[in-house]
Every structure is written in structure tokens, then in C-alpha cells.
Amino acid sequence: MSATVTLMQVAREAGVSPSTVSRILNGTANVTPDKRERVEAVIHRLNFTPNVQAQALANGRSFSVGVLTQKLSSAFYGETLAGIEQGLEGSAYHPLVVSGHWRAKQEQQALELLMRRRVDALIVLGGVIEDAALQRVAAQVPLVAVGRAVSGLPERCVLIDNHAGIRQVVHHLAGLGHRDIAYIGGDEAQQDAVERRVGFEATLQEAGLSVNPHLMRCGDYTEASGERAAEELLRSGVPFTALVCANDQMAFGARLSLYRRGLRVPEDLSLTGFDDLFSSRYTTPPLTTVHQAVNELGQLAAETVLRLLAGEQPHMSPYVPQLVIRESTGPAPHSPATGGS
Amino acid sequence: MSATVTLMQVAREAGVSPSTVSRILNGTANVTPDKRERVEAVIHRLNFTPNVQAQALANGRSFSVGVLTQKLSSAFYGETLAGIEQGLEGSAYHPLVVSGHWRAKQEQQALELLMRRRVDALIVLGGVIEDAALQRVAAQVPLVAVGRAVSGLPERCVLIDNHAGIRQVVHHLAGLGHRDIAYIGGDEAQQDAVERRVGFEATLQEAGLSVNPHLMRCGDYTEASGERAAEELLRSGVPFTALVCANDQMAFGARLSLYRRGLRVPEDLSLTGFDDLFSSRYTTPPLTTVHQAVNELGQLAAETVLRLLAGEQPHMSPYVPQLVIRESTGPAPHSPATGGS
DNA sequence: CTGTTAGCGCATTCAG
DNA sequence: CTGAATGCGCTAACAG
């Protein structure tokens, strides 16, 4: 653990004042070539790296943007984080990531941690913390929310048009002749879960089909819950020819449940997801789902934050996700699967 | 953006000295109840939060441990990150994550960034940067590497016994009667990729089987590469009854390729992976693979770092992963699949 | 128990 | 163009 080199040491070693070294470091002012060379040589020789904390303290900015995510192990948010990282690249700002685990209290603590680190801006991915808490921090630093609308902060939310997404799914299935369509929704504590369900029901009617409460189930966005819900649906005996899941993970779980019962996809039953996780391309059969450009959304959030930091007032418009038709959907069979027998 | 409150302001407002406030904040010394109450009231009223940068500067520690990962969107490392976060929880230290994207140059930059942020310790996940670079930073701060051996830094590497893992796979398959076993390896720039391949070949011989170079292919750990390699294998016409993949993702890709050709798993062909990603439980059929307790490895790394920070010298022993037999492996069929037809 | 005094490492006035 | 002086916000001796 060799002692860490300071700007002051560099200055002494090079026979100049600390200010000169600082100027060279930041290109704040011109310096005679010979001094510059001398200093740079010393910097290199001593392997000096400026202390970011000190810089932050001195000029009032930490050059870091806090990111509140929910789970580091989530494929969905992981991709968004990658997008944010990418969007910030080249910009002097760096992301500082903390997770809230979908727990309001932890999200609150995470926000406090970020504020103590004096992040220059904030990006919030989903979460269940109250809008009021977000408004409070938004009063201190520029804040951009992804995938959730925060009241009082329009133009600061990168929104996804869930309704439009699920609508495409239903019309696709209806077009294939499906009339009995089952649905597995997500935890309605999350905004998008209710938007998707409402969109599903609305489109059903739009397509001249009726909502059958016996074909509606609720999961929590995990594979296990999807498997369980599909199991229940099948066991209930109520016939259906297509199964719409509110996200890909639950579709994966449902897929397993169908496999267990020997039901073929899409011959016996059509299956759809939402999100288009990377792995959805590799399920058997590849999953028909709604593509969200998660990475791009992350980049967009990053760019928006950068723009906000630069004093601009960016305009946001909701992102319309697109249906990707792969191989898990097909024409409705004549005799609906019930799973019975 | 309201001006940010400082400790000094709190002190003035409460009619005490800054040191007193500091003492209350850190519990460094006793303070009379009345003063304490007064100060805490002011802190609350002004919504004061200490500036971590300033604290770091003042006491020489940033209370952050840098984490060099490769891809934020990776399911594998994501789980490890979650483990690290968990392991650090409650410890005053917080993770600072940066990605290297498996590019030596970017990894180097990431390390520099972390050093400039004056992290108190470092956790490195995989990567392709030279050992020398890691040794250099290890000279400045405690360093723990996960999933890679760094020369000169034994006892600082959380290692996985890849050989033992792949060995279980081969013996499992041999026990099922498979004699023609194909292999899809990873990019050999990564240590574990070569360890797994070498382990595969060694165990084959150990089991009395011979290594058939025509059944060996190389991917890069991605689904796409697994699909491609399986395709080649099948097209080559060389018969085999089992396909061992060096990681789960490639197994997913291979699975799709088999599906495309109408080959049943495990009736026509047995398939195995390595890692036991969460989603491997949900493929159809669920994948037989080698379980790595990735989350736990992350926690272990975090605890080790904490121990190092506390001045202890922890002892490391390689982690032995365990085979998880699910449904993608079965008895060898009588007539091997060749994919030709 | 508590206030005063010095820095921590750097950027930035302000004079030369 | 460059050095000296100041302060960023906080902690840690050091005296009371």
C-alpha cells in the first residue's frame, strides 16, 4: 500500500506551483511548453492520479450520476444499466448504482446514500417508492425516471406505452383466430402491470371478444409465478387457445408448465410475453413478445440527464414498443387446450 | 436546486461548534443530551446529510470498494454483483461498479477511474487484463479477484474448480452410456474456458473414452455462438449422442439448433451446460448443468475484502461447483444423432 | 464534555 | 503566464 501521490508533490518535484499542475491537468489555462513537459513527465513517473473526492469538493460537482435500480441480477434492468453506462460514456460523468429491491424503505435509503455522495443527477428505474419522495430529491438534483410516471415531474419520465404494446399482442392473436385468450398479469403494485392488464382487457373488447375473469390470473413477474399461474389455468378446465403473459419471465415459467403437460407450442396453445429479454430469442420455440428497446431507453435516460445538466429542458415522448412475432404463436387450434386429462 | 446544507450551518443554527456536530454524527465522543437533541432537531429540520466526499477527504477513506465487472447486462456477473452488494451491506462500505467489457484497454481505464475515486479496496470479476496490471493496483489497495487466478496474488483469488465441475458432467454422461460426446468450448482467452476444455478431455480419457477432434468446437460463450457451433457439429455428420457446452448460454443456443432440426432432448441427444444460470431451470427441458453459487461467490468476495480491510489475512480455497441433474440428459440412444438426414 | 485549530487534495480567485 | 492565498465540508488532535 504505497502512499498515494498528491498534486502538491508533483508540483514540488517539477519545481512549479500546484496551480500550474492543476491548470495542466484541466487545460484551464496556457502553460509554457517546457513546464508542461516537465510536469507531465513527473506525473507519469510518480503515476499520479488526481483525487476525485478532492476535485468534487473543490468545484462543487462530483461528476457522478446516481442510478437507483431494483435488482442488479435482473436481466431487464441490467440491460438498461448497460445503456446508461453507454450513454454516459465520454461525458465526464460516471454512474453510481444502488439497488432498492422493490422495497420502498430500501429505495429511500438508496436515495439518501446517493444524495450523501452528492451525485449531480439521478436516474430512477421503476421502483415502488412514493412519488413524493422522488419529488423531494428532484428538488435538489435533476431527476429522470424510467418506466414509471412520477406525478409532478412530467417531461422527466421516460415512459413506455404499455397499452400500445399489449394491444399489438391481442390483435395478433385475434387475427390468428384465437377467441379464448388467457392472461397472466404482474404484481399490480407496479404501474406497468396494471397498464398492461387494463390494455389487455380493453383490446379484447375492441376486438369483439369478452373478458373472461376465469382466464385472468396474477403473478409477480417471476418465472415461478408464471409457472404456477399457468398450472392453475390449465387445471381449472376453462378452455383457452392462447396465453398472454405480462412479461417474458412469466412466459418462461408458463412454457415449462405447458411442457410438463405435453402441450405443444404453438400447435396446441399460443404463448406470448412482454419485454423481449435477450433469452426470449432462444426459448423453444422462440417467443413472440413485445420488444422494448431497454438498452436504448437507458441511453436515452443518460442523454436526457446530460442535457438537463447542461441546462437544457429536453422534451420526452412515450416510447412505443413493437411486437416481435416469432414462433410461439400460431393459428388457433379447433379444439382448445384445457390441460384436463 | 436548493443550496445544500453543511455541517457548519447546522452547528451555527444549533449554537454549537462544528466538532460537536461531527461527534454526534459519528458517535466519536459523548455529548450532553440537551446539545445532542438540539443538534439532531436542526439536522432533521434542515434535512442535513453529510457530504461523503468531504468525509472521505478528511479521514483518508472513501468507504467504497471498487468492483470491476465485465458486462452489467450479464446474467452471470449480475448475480455476483448482487452477492457483493449483499455482502457489503451493513458494513459502511459501498460498491462502485464499472465495466470492462472484456476489453483489456477498457478494463485498464475502469481501474484507473476506480483508483481516482480512491476506492478503499477492489474486487475484480474475470476480465482479460494482464496480471501485471492487477498486481500494480493490488500494491495500492486490497484486491480480490473472482473467477480468475492472478499470478503473484494467491490467497486473493476466489477460484472455481472448473476441472471438477466438467468432470462430473462427463462421468454423468458416461454413466448413462454415452460414448460419443461432443463439446462446445468458450473463448480460450478466458482462463476458465481452457480449464473446462482441458478438464473435459482429461475426464474423457479417465472414463476410457477417446477425444475426437471432430467433435470439438469453439464458441465465445454467447447463445449465438452455441447455436452456430451445434449447427456445424450436426452438419458435419460425425455421430454423437451427447453435447457438452462450456456454459449455459451456449447450451441455450445449441438447444435452439436442435429444436430446429427436430432433435429431441434428451431422447435423441443429451445436452449439458455450465454455470446454472437462473433461467436454466426453465428451459424445455430444464437443463442439466454445473451449479456455481455465483451469488455466494460474490458475498464471499465482499466478506474477504472486508476482512482484508480489517487487517486480517483470510485464507481462500477453491470452490467446487456441483452437477445439477435435470431433464436434458438421459440414456444414450442406440442410433446416434448426426443431424444429417 | 466542548470549542479552536489544522489540515485532507484540489481549483480558483487575485496579484504579479 | 504563474505563484500565493483561500476555501470546499468535514474530522481529528489539542487544549481547555
Side-chain angles (χ1 to χ4, degrees), chain B residues 71-87:
Chain B
K71 268 184 71 194
L72 279 176
S73 54
S74 147
F76 187 74
Y77 286 121
E79 197 54 60
T80 309
L81 287 183
I84 292 176
E85 197 177 38
Q86 213 171 316

Side-chain angles (χ1 to χ4, degrees), chain A residues 17 19-20 23 30-32 35 58:
Chain A
S17 78
S19 348
T20 302
R23 287 193 261 259
N30 280 336
V31 174
T32 27
K35 278 188 199 265

Side-chain angles (χ1 to χ4, degrees), chain B residues 148-160:
Chain B
R148 88 176 256 180
V150 181
S151 62
L153 297 175
E155 304 295 318
R156 290 293 152 91
C157 302
V158 178
L159 259 21
I160 288 135

Side-chain angles (χ1 to χ4, degrees), chain B residues 17 19-20 23 31-32 35 57-58:
Chain B
S17 78
S19 349
T20 303
R23 287 193 262 258
V31 175
T32 27
K35 279 189 201 267
L57 199 55

Side-chain angles (χ1 to χ4, degrees), chain A:
Chain A
M1 321 288 155
S2 59
T4 134
V5 188
T6 73
L7 180 149
M8 180 69 101
Q9 294 176 34
V10 173
R12 266 204 281 272
E13 197 81 11
V16 300
S17 78
S19 348
T20 302
V21 179
S22 172
R23 287 193 261 259
I24 294 182
L25 240 44
N26 307 296
T28 316
N30 280 336
V31 174
T32 27
D34 70 312
K35 278 188 199 265
R36 146 170 262 112
E37 273 174 39
R38 230 182 324 145
V39 171
E40 280 172 345
V42 176
I43 286 182
H44 191 76
R45 180 156 58 77
L46 265 45
N47 189 25
F48 164 74
T49 50
N51 182 328
V52 176
Q53 337 258 8
Q55 291 182 313
L57 199 55
N59 55 32
R61 289 190 302 175
S62 66
F63 288 104
S64 62
V65 348
V67 180
L68 172 57
T69 184
Q70 299 304 325
K71 269 183 69 193
L72 281 175
S73 54
S74 148
F76 189 73
Y77 286 122
E79 195 56 60
T80 309
L81 288 182
I84 292 176
E85 197 177 38
Q86 211 172 316
L88 249 31
E89 209 152 291
S91 79
Y93 288 88
H94 290 278
L96 188 52
V97 185
V98 198
S99 356
H101 305 280
W102 295 109
R103 226 88 52 73
K105 194 166 170 210
Q106 289 197 47
E107 290 179 36
Q108 181 61 50
Q109 290 180 343
L111 285 180
E112 274 162 21
L113 170 64
L114 292 174
M115 294 313 285
R116 273 188 287 132
R117 295 252 180 210
R118 295 295 189 271
V119 294
D120 297 324
L122 226 35
I123 297 179
V124 177
L125 308 183
V128 296
I129 197 173
E130 332 78 82
D131 287 0
L134 292 181
Q135 288 165 10
R136 223 169 303 135
V137 295
Q140 319 230 46
V141 295
L143 177 294
V144 169
V146 178
R148 89 174 257 181
V150 181
S151 63
L153 296 176
E155 305 293 321
R156 290 291 153 91
C157 302
V158 178
L159 259 21
I160 289 136
D161 192 336
N162 289 295
H163 191 108
I166 209 77
R167 193 165 176 278
Q168 298 173 60
V169 171
V170 175
H171 280 307
H172 167 59
L173 290 172
L176 287 168
H178 294 274
R179 300 193 54 79
D180 299 302
I181 307 180
Y183 184 81
I184 301 180
D187 177 358
E188 304 223 347
Q190 290 175 235
Q191 245 175 57
D192 43 31
V194 352
E195 289 174 14
R196 289 173 197 180
R197 178 184 52 73
V198 170
F200 174 75
E201 296 176 344
T203 315
L204 228 44
Q205 301 186 320
E206 189 179 302
L209 303 174
S210 57
V211 179
N212 182 347
H214 296 301
L215 289 180
M216 306 287 294
R217 282 291 181 288
C218 204
D220 61 8
Y221 277 161
T222 64
E223 287 86 349
S225 76
E227 184 179 9
R228 210 177 312 125
E231 198 58 44
E232 284 176 26
L233 240 19
L234 257 16
R235 216 168 19 214
S236 77
V238 184
F240 58 97
T241 62
L243 175 53
V244 174
C245 298
N247 78 345
D248 284 0
Q249 285 177 269
M250 294 197 296
F252 299 160
R255 176 72 189 91
L256 181 56
S257 162
L258 300 178
Y259 170 79
R260 286 266 141 78
R261 295 198 164 233
L263 288 171
R264 293 165 305 163
V265 174
E267 293 83 353
D268 300 324
L269 197 61
S270 284
L271 179 68
T272 68
F274 200 117
D275 284 351
D276 194 17
L277 296 187
F278 187 78
S279 49
S280 298
R281 212 179 296 251
Y282 289 94
T283 56
T284 48
L287 189 68
T288 291
T289 185
V290 178
H291 179 75
Q292 301 201 49
V294 218
N295 186 297
E296 285 79 353
L297 287 185
Q299 286 189 51
L300 179 58
E303 286 158 14
T304 305
V305 146
L306 252 25
R307 208 158 281 154
L308 246 18
L309 247 12
E312 304 173 31
Q313 290 298 323
H315 171 69
M316 311 255 59
S317 52
Y319 166 80
V320 177
Q322 295 297 325
L323 176 68
V324 183
I325 299 173
R326 291 207 265 255
E327 303 161 40
S328 69
T329 47
H334 294 303
S335 50
T338 66
S341 78

